[in-house]
Amino acid sequence: MKPIWRWLSLVTLALALLQLYFVVRIVAMRVIDPQSTAFQRSEAWRIATQKDALRWRQQWLPYDKISSNLKRAVIASEDDGFANHDGVDWNALEKAWERNARAEEQAARAQARLDARNPPKPSAKAPAAKPVKPPKVVGGSTITQQLAKNLFLSGERTFLRKGQEFVLTLLLEAVLSKERILEIYLNNVEWGEGVFGAEAAAQHYFRKSAAQLSAYEAARLAVMLPRPKYFEKLPNSSYVAGRAARIARRLEGAELP
């Protein structure tokens, strides 16, 4: 039994040291702007190895230099309760859980119908029916949760990683102000391949500073956040235009921290 207890003790110690490391990093962010995030480093490696050159755009802007239009647009689009929640929007999580459960149930029924129409044949040469595409998982993540994931974690979807994201979210909210959380988020979030942060996005799409974004321009950038690489290729799609118009109309109701 001793080797097992020794192994468990080492694992516990490693986890405690990892949490201490995260605490130190987050406390430092009160005064030091993070130079990169785990997600950015992963993307830099992917781009450098898959492309001919590393195209990278990023320039830090202080909180008061970023247009209030963009702050409000991102809050309205991504997390309308940002100013008031403790880092986790429990109502949004519950709704996301219900949507995912319904989507999985519908996919299972569709797969059962497909299997019933295409029963397995004894012949090995018979082509198999194409399986039903699994449903897209809806996350319900807040801005703070997204920042926690981007700063420190990988993109894998596991309960362990989600649990660590939850701990980091609470640490960010406990140590940093809402303004600082939003400032770090807006300066590091992805807005296209190799395009990170509000200033790089504003220059890339509108050839102007993030301090000068209009309500509609800010709304267009906010619409891109869930799928930035996809919308970078379709910046003038009807979906982007229509949703941006709706977000622009909601800006005044978006509460800033």
Side-chain angles (χ1 to χ4, degrees), residues 145-192:
Q145 286 175 286
Q146 293 178 44
L147 179 61
K149 179 181 68 175
N150 290 340
L151 278 171
F152 299 113
L153 304 175
S154 68
E156 63 181 349
R157 293 178 181 271
T158 65
F159 285 113
L160 182 62
R161 200 229 67 185
K162 198 65 179 177
Q164 182 64 78
E165 178 189 306
F166 180 78
V167 172
L168 289 169
T169 296
L170 297 182
L171 285 173
L172 286 168
E173 289 278 344
V175 174
L176 305 179
S177 67
K178 288 284 188 178
E179 290 88 346
R180 183 59 169 166
I181 290 171
L182 187 57
E183 178 185 29
I184 296 174
Y185 176 85
L186 290 174
N187 275 289
N188 288 284
V189 72
E190 182 185 38
W191 256 299

Side-chain angles (χ1 to χ4, degrees), residues 82-107:
F82 174 72
N84 300 304
H85 62 57
D86 60 358
V88 179
D89 188 336
W90 299 105
N91 290 330
L93 274 180
E94 183 178 357
K95 292 176 182 176
W97 183 277
E98 292 172 353
R99 287 195 297 269
N100 289 332
R102 287 196 299 269
E104 288 175 2
E105 184 179 349
Q106 291 169 0

Side-chain angles (χ1 to χ4, degrees), residues 55-59 193-197 200-201 203-204 232:
R55 188 189 70 170
W56 199 266
R57 296 182 179 90
Q58 186 174 19
Q59 179 182 341
E193 188 169 87
V195 181
F196 288 91
Q203 296 287 352
H204 180 57
E232 183 181 23

